[in-house]
Amino acid sequence: MLDSRTREIVKSTVPLLESANTALTQHFYQRMFRDNPELKDVFNLSNQVSGRQPAALFNAVLAYAKNIDNPAVLASAVERIAQKHTGFAITPAQYDIVGHHLLETIKELAPDAATPEVIDAWAQAYGALAGLFIGREEQLYQQSEQKIGGWRGYRDFIVKDKQVESAVITSFLLEPKDGGAVMDFLPGQYLNLHLVSPKLANNEYRQYSLCQAPNGKTYRIAVKREPNGVASNFMHDEVHVGDSLQVLPPSGDFFMEVGPEIPVVLISGGVGQTPMRAMLDQLIKHKHTAAIHWLHACEDGTQHAFQKDIQALRQANSNLTTHIWYRTPGEQDQAAEHYHSEGFMNLNQLKDSITTPNTHYYFCGPLPFMAMVKETLVGWGVSDDRLHYEVFGPHETL
């Protein structure tokens, strides 16, 4: 446990951190990749270019400094990051590297403020936080290893099927090369891939949503092609049926766990429907008795993935209702047959049918979309404990 003096010193650096903002973490990543280029095989460099990763790290460092007297308030963030880290096979030694570059960054950007006392306080604070992550991640590694069909580290899977789901989304059915069972997961979680190929400048780790309920034998993931996405374009263009992929166990802190009597509303925008697809599959598989609402918004019919699957499930299950929004329907898109409303999603259209006191809401999609959904539901008086959402990539707060 950190002593009061150490906590006091760390808190005193909050104004310095705030004034530096993301320049701190941008400098940190630049020096770390310069001195430890092997870590380019761990981090998603696309998120470096976009600025999302430096921003996410800065917010995490700042939050830790502000809440160092009560780190329990950061429990959900710690769990989310630990889950992500297990998908990168992070090791304790890598925490030492990160800690070194963080302290050196403070020295280089704020030489006047970086007294030996300040550096020592931050070294102790970082060590405590790293220990927390290392301990939790080891628990997660062991849990995955001990489950039926579970494993630790990399396991080879064969692509058994590759299915084009829309103009931008393709799904991949993966089966273990060793012929063994695979561990169950909670619907909403993702699968971790380690992509290694001479066609890639660096090895790439990626997390892709599992879009089918667990069956103990295979996993199905869905991948959206991003315009400049190194990994997503590789998956779409270079990975074919019969190829082998290195897979790490499923993980993620966004998942659905509800009793059969709980009404569920699944709300998605674009590729955000992929974790919802596994949730819906699980609800149907377990013969959920309460109402299920599937609400989805996308550009048009060409980008509407899983359309026929959802229509078939709706026809076969009387407790499932659907509502689809196309922002700009194409000439081939037929109202009532392919979609219900034109334009952006408007939940107020359905307020009376999707609000009951015990309904739980799960939503995923672009950040502005999710902010709209959350603002609408909170405005209706829905409590936070019934709101569940996922941000793809580095976590950001709605």
Side-chain angles (χ1 to χ4, degrees):
M1 179 177 291
L2 299 173
D3 60 49
S4 59
R5 178 58 180 161
T6 298
R7 297 197 304 271
E8 182 181 320
I9 293 172
V10 169
K11 285 191 295 183
S12 73
T13 64
V14 167
L16 176 66
L17 296 175
E18 291 178 327
S19 64
N21 205 282
T22 56
L24 174 78
T25 46
Q26 288 170 347
H27 184 87
F28 159 80
Y29 280 117
Q30 287 171 0
R31 79 174 334 272
M32 185 172 69
F33 290 144
R34 180 196 69 202
D35 294 352
N36 295 91
E38 72 277 8
L39 292 183
K40 291 182 179 181
D41 288 338
V42 176
F43 287 86
N44 183 337
L45 298 184
S46 296
N47 289 331
Q48 299 293 330
V49 174
S50 69
R52 293 186 68 193
Q53 186 63 49
L57 178 59
F58 171 76
N59 289 331
V61 170
L62 183 63
Y64 181 53
K66 286 183 173 180
N67 294 283
I68 199 163
D69 283 329
N70 185 22
V73 302
L74 303 176
S76 62
V78 169
E79 179 65 15
R80 183 177 305 111
I81 295 170
Q83 292 277 351
K84 287 278 189 183
H85 283 181
T86 62
F88 297 111
I90 296 298
T91 65
Q94 289 170 325
Y95 278 99
D96 293 338
I97 295 173
V98 168
H100 166 74
H101 289 292
L102 178 62
L103 296 179
E104 291 302 309
T105 293
I106 294 174
K107 292 178 185 178
E108 291 169 0
L109 291 189
D112 294 335
T115 65
E117 190 178 34
V118 166
I119 294 302
D120 182 63
W122 262 104
Q124 292 185 52
Y126 174 80
L129 183 62
L132 187 64
F133 278 116
I134 290 169
R136 178 55 182 152
E137 287 158 22
E138 178 59 27
Q139 288 179 340
L140 293 171
Y141 289 136
Q142 291 184 15
Q143 288 171 10
S144 294
E145 192 173 22
Q146 293 165 5
K147 288 181 179 180
I148 296 174
W151 72 98
R152 182 175 182 140
Y154 307 120
R155 186 177 179 187
D156 290 333
F157 278 65
I158 302 299
V159 178
K160 300 298 291 185
D161 184 45
K162 180 179 179 180
Q163 195 77 250
V164 175
E165 306 291 353
S166 76
V168 293
I169 296 174
T170 292
S171 68
F172 299 79
L173 183 68
L174 309 178
E175 182 178 79
K177 189 175 183 178
D178 58 25
V182 298
M183 60 183 277
D184 282 349
F185 59 91
L186 295 169
Q189 291 186 305
Y190 45 77
L191 196 64
N192 302 286
L193 302 187
H194 182 220
L195 304 176
V196 181
S197 171
K199 296 182 178 181
L200 294 170
N202 299 287
N203 296 346
E204 301 284 350
Y205 287 91
R206 289 295 187 276
Q207 293 78 40
Y208 294 115
S209 295
L210 289 146
C211 59
Q212 184 175 326
N215 59 31
K217 298 178 181 179
T218 60
Y219 294 130
R220 184 177 288 277
I221 59 171
V223 180
K224 179 190 176 186
R225 184 194 291 273
E226 299 291 350
N228 298 307
V230 173
S232 67
N233 280 284
F234 175 80
M235 290 291 292
H236 277 249
D237 298 335
E238 305 295 342
V239 176
H240 306 291
V241 172
D243 288 348
S244 179
L245 295 172
Q246 291 184 353
V247 177
L248 296 99
S251 56
D253 69 326
F254 173 66
F255 51 80
M256 182 188 67
E257 282 187 311
V258 295
E261 75 289 349
I262 300 296
V264 175
V265 182
L266 305 174
I267 309 171
S268 59
V271 73
Q273 71 171 310
T274 53
M276 305 300 165
R277 184 67 190 84
M279 293 181 185
L280 180 60
D281 201 25
Q282 181 86 330
L283 291 169
I284 299 301
K285 182 178 178 180
H286 287 192
K287 302 187 184 305
H288 196 75
T289 56
I292 307 169
H293 299 274
W294 174 271
L295 313 181
H296 178 63
C298 59
E299 187 68 19
D300 56 29
T302 66
Q303 296 196 25
H304 187 183
F306 308 114
Q307 178 184 163
K308 293 182 179 179
D309 292 346
I310 302 303
Q311 288 178 341
L313 290 175
R314 185 196 63 206
Q315 293 170 2
N317 296 273
S318 60
N319 63 328
L320 172 63
T321 60
T322 64
H323 198 102
I324 308 298
W325 286 260
Y326 284 178
R327 192 177 75 85
T328 54
E331 293 181 2
Q332 75 284 2
D333 298 326
Q334 301 298 313
E337 180 180 350
H338 300 120
Y339 69 99
H340 304 92
S341 298
E342 183 175 345
F344 293 106
M345 178 180 286
N346 179 5
L347 293 177
N348 289 306
Q349 295 174 246
L350 308 175
K351 181 178 179 180
D352 292 342
S353 62
I354 64 174
T355 50
T356 57
N358 62 338
T359 298
H360 277 247
Y361 303 83
Y362 295 83
F363 50 103
C364 187
L367 278 172
F369 170 86
M370 290 198 294
M372 176 277 294
V373 171
K374 184 176 181 181
E375 181 180 2
T376 300
L377 296 176
V378 169
W380 292 351
V382 178
S383 56
D384 283 344
D385 63 320
R386 294 190 286 128
L387 301 178
H388 317 274
Y389 64 90
E390 168 84 319
V391 175
F392 290 156
H395 185 73
E396 299 173 60
T397 302
L398 297 185

